[in-house]
Amino acid sequence: MPKKLGGFIGCITILASFIISLGIFFEVRSATFQGPVIVHLFDFIQSGKLYIPFSFQVDALSALFLLIITGVGFLIHVYSTSYMGHDEGMVKYFAYLNLFVFSMLLLVLGANYLIMFIGWEGVGLCSYLLIGFWFKNRDYTNAAKKAFVMNRIGDLGFLVGMLLILLNFGTLSFQEFFGQLHNGQAIVTSSTYNWIALCLFIGATGKSAQIPLYTWLPDAMAGPTPVSALIHAATMVTAGIYMIARTGALYTLAPMILHVVAIIGLATAILAATIAIKQYDIKKVLAYSTVSQLGFMFLALGVGAYTTAVFHVMTHAFFKALLFLGSGSVIHSMGGEQDIRKMGGLGKKMKITQITFLIGCLAISGIPGFSGFFSKDEILANAFSGSPVLYYLGVGAAMMTAFYMFRLYFLTFSGDFRGTEEQHHHLHESPAAITIPLVVLAILSIIGGFVGVPEVLGGHNEIATYLSSVVTNTGDFHLAASTEWTLMAVSVIAAVIMIIVAWSVNRKPKFAENKGLAKVLENKWYVDELYDAVIIRPFGALSRLLDKYVERSGIDGVVNGVGKTVKWGGNRLRLLQSGQVGFYIFIMVLGIVVLFALSFFWIK
């Protein structure tokens, strides 16, 4: 298939999906909608009492995710037509990208956990295919395998959680399962709720890159930049948040696991933010930023603010896709260079990319008026209601976010150019297929947060009202107006201070070799090395030992031994076939004598 035709088909199918998703969204918002609507396609599994239909569920939560997936997905497809236009595998790339969107839609539309799990595995497969898209590079294929294996670890937790639901509740259907939880029909202990919630959370830590299964996401930057924007910023990594928000009725009954979710989320947000401070690869900074922002979403889930987590999923999809696509525009202009130490002053040649990237940085830093301010402020306010300690630690992570994002911005777009003369000569603004999606996402990064303006600012949290029919928050998060103003002021002032610090430190950068803590942060707290020493090498040694002594000497030895014994016996028995008639007659007579002796002496 010609490249242009492949790109056209890839884009037009997602555009059609987006238009249908818009229709679904407005239908769900209408006053006449009595949801959720279950669309039954066919009977999938039916065995005894076990019945699992292949059904889709349309409600407020799935309709919102449909818009995010297809809307941001369409912009990234358009962007890819230019970014991947010269790649020989462009048609295959669009096939993978379309397959990913298909799997993601399956995940959010499934009416039961099994259909969700099919989509869940599908996005994992597509992630593997797209991270290792340039498979001739061994490092890229290793990154793809790492993502695949770490996702399988989490997926096992999800699978065990599903089996526990099936065992204790006899169904995997959302409506039946949540109905039993609300009515108290199932006779189960609180520990059962905790175990199911924990297993599902393990699944979420793998897909949404939380401690300890987060190290695959930064390595996933090996894939093409549009892939990083779609899969590893806007959609796939938010699948864990979607799943927990969808299962909020269960987590409300497992408060202990909610505390675990909050602690893991906050720890991930802080750890990833510290690492991002000392990274020099433009995409690695954004990757650790994604891990950190996902941590914020899990913090919101952990304090029972499910709608707030979904709100941040939406705003994060806008500004993080914008930042990744902006980084792709920079890499495109720099001829593939990703080291920000070799950039600088790009704003003079790339005005559109610079302005849109700045908007993304302001949004993720939580500056008032931008989308990230409303969702991040709501997360921090809810964290304060849960525990002031969570709030202050969250503010610390938010301060680091503002610092490393503006460090990235200043090192890339301001100051003097630090690359080669040839790179400087080729610097140019990207074509329209790249800049138009940037402009659209920049506009969404500005206005996207106004659907959740808090009442203290004279607004109404539209998104919480919209999701209330599906997702019910736990606890009472109403704070005094003065408290809300104070919390907002603290977080905004902290972010502004860190932006000023980032500017003062990086306006005339000097790149000396990092030492001490800075070197530890540059090497990502040596977590990969720790995993290598504690898990990979011991298991590798055990595998080689089992291979040598159990597999080859034991199992293979027995199997091959049977063959060798038969062969040896055959070689000996064939000597009886001498071809001499007299010998054959002698054997026959001998046989008759033996049979006669047996019948005479033993057989009665």
Side-chain angles (χ1 to χ4, degrees), residues 489-548:
V490 168
S491 60
V492 171
I493 292 168
V496 171
I497 290 171
M498 296 314 289
I499 292 171
I500 295 168
V501 171
W503 175 76
S504 64
V505 171
N506 296 293
R507 57 180 174 167
K508 293 180 180 178
K510 294 178 182 178
F511 301 108
E513 184 182 352
N514 288 317
K515 296 179 181 178
L517 180 61
K519 188 172 181 63
V520 173
L521 297 181
E522 185 183 356
N523 287 286
K524 311 155 196 170
W525 290 102
Y526 295 101
V527 173
D528 278 309
E529 289 79 359
L530 176 67
Y531 286 177
D532 189 58
V534 174
I535 300 170
I536 296 172
R537 287 183 197 168
F539 272 95
L542 178 63
S543 298
R544 287 188 291 274
L545 201 68
L546 293 172
D547 176 57
K548 184 177 181 181

Side-chain angles (χ1 to χ4, degrees), residues 45 50 52 113-114 117 155-172 177 188 192 195-197 199-200:
I45 296 175
L50 176 63
I52 302 173
Y113 284 104
L114 188 59
F117 190 70
D155 295 349
L156 177 61
F158 189 0
L159 192 59
V160 172
M162 282 170 51
L163 293 172
L164 286 174
I165 293 171
L166 198 57
L167 179 68
N168 289 282
F169 297 90
T171 182
L172 290 177
F177 176 46
V188 295
T192 303
W195 279 113
I196 296 172
C199 288
L200 296 180

Side-chain angles (χ1 to χ4, degrees), residues 12-32:
I12 206 73
T13 50
I14 304 301
L15 178 61
S17 294
F18 177 63
I19 292 168
I20 294 168
S21 299
L22 272 175
I24 291 170
F25 175 76
F26 286 117
E27 185 179 341
V28 170
R29 276 201 70 190
S30 66
T32 57

Side-chain angles (χ1 to χ4, degrees), residues 276-287:
I277 288 172
K278 280 295 175 184
Q279 297 304 302
Y280 296 104
D281 183 316
I282 187 169
K283 285 176 70 177
K284 282 282 177 75
V285 176
L286 295 175

Side-chain angles (χ1 to χ4, degrees), residues 23 47 100 118 123-124 143 147 149 195 210 240 266 271 309 318 364 374 391 396 399 422 449-450 453 490 494:
S47 176
F100 167 78
I118 294 171
V123 294
V149 170
W195 279 113
Q210 297 297 288
L266 186 56
L271 180 74
F318 298 151
I364 195 173
F374 297 104
Y391 168 78
M399 290 172 70
E422 187 178 349
F450 286 94
V453 178
V490 168

Side-chain angles (χ1 to χ4, degrees), residues 53-239:
F54 202 103
S55 302
F56 292 155
Q57 179 168 320
V58 180
D59 55 25
L61 187 62
S62 57
L64 180 64
F65 270 85
L66 288 183
L67 277 187
I68 296 170
I69 294 162
T70 56
V72 175
F74 172 65
L75 294 173
I76 292 169
H77 275 69
V78 171
Y79 179 101
S80 297
T81 58
S82 175
Y83 192 88
M84 298 295 289
H86 302 293
D87 196 285
E88 60 183 15
M90 177 179 169
V91 175
K92 181 174 68 172
Y93 167 84
F94 272 99
Y96 289 166
L97 220 54
N98 272 194
L99 180 62
F100 167 78
V101 175
F102 167 80
S103 300
M104 195 68 205
L105 293 176
L106 199 61
L107 190 156
V108 299
L109 279 172
N112 58 62
Y113 284 104
L114 188 59
I115 308 304
M116 181 195 281
F117 190 70
I118 294 171
W120 188 276
E121 292 298 291
V123 294
L125 168 66
C126 295
S127 175
Y128 167 79
L129 294 172
L130 287 163
I131 293 167
F133 183 74
W134 290 314
F135 56 85
K136 292 178 182 178
N137 185 317
R138 179 55 63 88
D139 290 338
Y140 292 0
T141 56
N142 286 339
K145 285 190 288 186
K146 184 176 182 179
F148 196 79
V149 170
M150 294 194 85
N151 270 275
R152 297 290 76 70
I153 296 168
D155 295 349
L156 177 61
F158 189 0
L159 192 59
V160 172
M162 282 170 51
L163 293 172
L164 286 174
I165 293 171
L166 198 57
L167 179 68
N168 289 282
F169 297 90
T171 182
L172 290 177
S173 165
F174 296 145
Q175 282 200 311
E176 292 179 20
F177 176 46
F178 301 149
Q180 291 186 42
L181 292 179
H182 288 306
N183 301 330
Q185 293 174 351
I187 305 172
V188 295
T189 61
S190 59
S191 65
T192 303
Y193 293 135
N194 288 331
W195 279 113
I196 296 172
L198 181 61
C199 288
L200 296 180
F201 176 58
I202 291 170
T205 59
K207 198 66 73 190
S208 296
Q210 297 297 288
I211 292 173
L213 301 177
Y214 72 94
T215 56
W216 68 269
L217 183 59
D219 287 15
M221 297 303 110
T225 302
V227 171
S228 304
L230 179 63
I231 294 185
H232 307 120
T235 50
M236 172 183 145
V237 291
T238 60

